[in-house]
């Protein structure tokens, strides 16, 4: 058995302390990146930041358009990281504060929002959510526009609130290249697994389910699939989706 003397132990501890000191202190920086609007931009920003020295980690919030960087203060500094992004010309940085309002717009297609009473129920509930600035209805196209503070709520929070009311929101785009579909599905199919399977289908941009309505809503690209092809693909994935019967609004009876 090999015995380490006290002198050797002290030397080893000194070596470990020196190594730790050389590693420097991990610090963090959060900044707004004004030109970062989508996931593709976020990937580029992350690549740019990670190419610099001393970067320990990068976390991005595309709704807030912020990037949070953990870095080794012995190898780089906040000014260097910001200058690295500013030099791109497109991804320029500015100061970020969690107390400042960051207003964003979000449009949602809600096929099961049929009338003014439906929207009134949505409006009443969303007005209780911290960070909601304003909203408007477009009943003829079954969608709402929400203006919200991304420092206080998020798209995910808004969708969860609508789901709790019994609606099935998906992302809305005002473009002839985008279409929407809505189906009834068995209760046992109302799962996150179903959402994942539908999102994996060709042309699908967004999908959501609702347990109360036993519904599946889909946003899809018309150049990549069609209504008939989409329904066939959903059924082929093992999801027993059917077109809903004609709607008979009961909102006025609530």
């Amino acid at each position: 058995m090999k015995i380490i003397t006290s002198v050797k132990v002290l030397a080893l501890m000194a070596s470990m302390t020196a190594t730790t000191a050389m590693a420097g202190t991990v610090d963090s920086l959060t900044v707004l990146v004004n030109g970062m609007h989508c996931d593709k931009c976020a990937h580029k920003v992350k690549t740019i930041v990670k190419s610099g020295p001393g970067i320990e980690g990068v976390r991005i919030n595309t709704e807030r358009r912020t990037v949070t960087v953990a870095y080794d203060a012995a190898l780089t500094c906040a000014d260097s990281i910001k200058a690295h992004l500013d030099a791109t010309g497109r991804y320029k940085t500015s100061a970020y504060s969690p107390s400042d309002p960051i207003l964003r717009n979000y449009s949602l297609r809600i096929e099961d929002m049929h009338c003014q009473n439906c929207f009134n129920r949505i409006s009443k509930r969303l007005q209780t959510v911290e960070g909601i600035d304003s909203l408007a209805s477009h009943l003829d196209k079954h969608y709402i526009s929400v203006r919200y503070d991304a420092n206080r709520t998020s798209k995910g929070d808004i969708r969860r609130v609508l789901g709790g009311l019994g609606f099935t929101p998906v992302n809305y785009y005002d473009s002839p290249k985008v279409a929407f579909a809505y189906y009834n599905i068995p209760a046992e199919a109302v799962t996150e697994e179903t959402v994942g399977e539908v999102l994996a289908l060709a042309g699908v941009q967004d999908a959501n389910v609702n347990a109360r309505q036993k519904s599946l809503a889909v946003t899809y690209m018309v150049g990549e699939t069609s209504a008939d092809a989409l329904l066939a693909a959903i059924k082929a994935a093992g999801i027993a989706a059917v077109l809903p019967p004609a709607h008979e609004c009961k909102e006025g009876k609530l």
Side-chain angles (χ1 to χ4, degrees), residues 35 42 52 65 69 92-93 128 175 187 195 213 245:
R65 295 176 193 162
V69 185
K92 292 187 176 182
T93 63
T128 68
S175 168
V195 172
Q213 300 291 347

Side-chain angles (χ1 to χ4, degrees), residues 45-244:
V45 167
K46 190 171 186 177
T47 300
I48 292 165
V49 173
K50 290 180 72 175
S51 68
I55 304 302
E56 301 286 338
V58 181
R59 186 174 71 254
I60 289 177
N61 186 307
T62 52
E63 283 189 68
R64 295 175 185 165
R65 295 176 193 162
T66 59
V67 56
T68 299
V69 185
Y71 62 94
D72 186 338
L75 300 175
T76 189
C77 65
D79 286 344
S80 293
I81 295 168
K82 289 187 286 186
H84 195 36
L85 281 168
D86 292 341
T88 65
R90 178 174 181 178
Y91 301 117
K92 292 187 176 182
T93 63
S94 59
Y96 167 75
S97 171
S99 62
D100 290 341
I102 300 178
L103 295 178
R104 298 284 182 259
N105 296 310
Y106 188 27
S107 293
L108 291 145
R109 171 82 175 205
I110 309 175
E111 189 68 29
D112 33 29
M113 179 184 71
H114 301 284
C115 65
Q116 187 63 46
N117 285 329
C118 292
F119 174 71
N120 291 345
R121 201 151 57 89
I122 289 170
S123 177
K124 183 178 179 180
R125 177 65 180 88
L126 284 182
Q127 285 176 20
T128 68
V129 176
E130 183 183 8
I132 299 297
D133 179 72
S134 62
L135 64 153
S137 67
H138 305 267
L139 293 174
D140 57 329
K141 295 183 178 180
H142 295 275
Y143 82 94
I144 64 171
S145 299
V146 184
R147 189 166 174 82
Y148 68 100
D149 181 353
N151 255 339
R152 289 165 179 81
T153 190
S154 68
K155 291 179 179 180
D157 291 338
I158 294 168
R159 285 171 70 122
R160 280 188 287 274
V161 167
L162 293 171
L165 288 173
F167 296 102
T168 322
V170 286
N171 294 339
Y172 174 81
Y173 303 96
D174 186 13
S175 168
K177 297 180 180 179
V178 179
F180 307 90
Y182 184 88
Y183 310 102
N184 287 136
I185 57 176
E188 61 271 17
V190 182
T191 65
E192 287 302 315
E193 288 75 14
T194 290
V195 172
E197 289 174 355
V198 174
L199 285 172
L201 299 177
V204 173
Q205 295 297 304
D206 190 26
N208 197 8
V209 292
N210 186 273
R212 189 184 302 182
Q213 300 291 347
K214 298 182 182 62
S215 56
L216 165 65
V218 183
T219 302
Y220 67 95
M221 304 298 294
V222 296
E224 299 178 38
T225 189
S226 65
D228 291 341
L230 177 61
L231 180 55
I234 290 171
K235 289 181 176 179
I239 304 163
V242 296
L243 294 173

Side-chain angles (χ1 to χ4, degrees), residues 21-40:
M22 289 175 62
T25 302
V26 175
D27 209 339
S28 66
L29 164 72
T30 299
V31 291
L32 287 169
V33 181
N34 302 306
M36 183 176 67
H37 301 287
C38 62
D39 290 340
K40 187 176 180 179

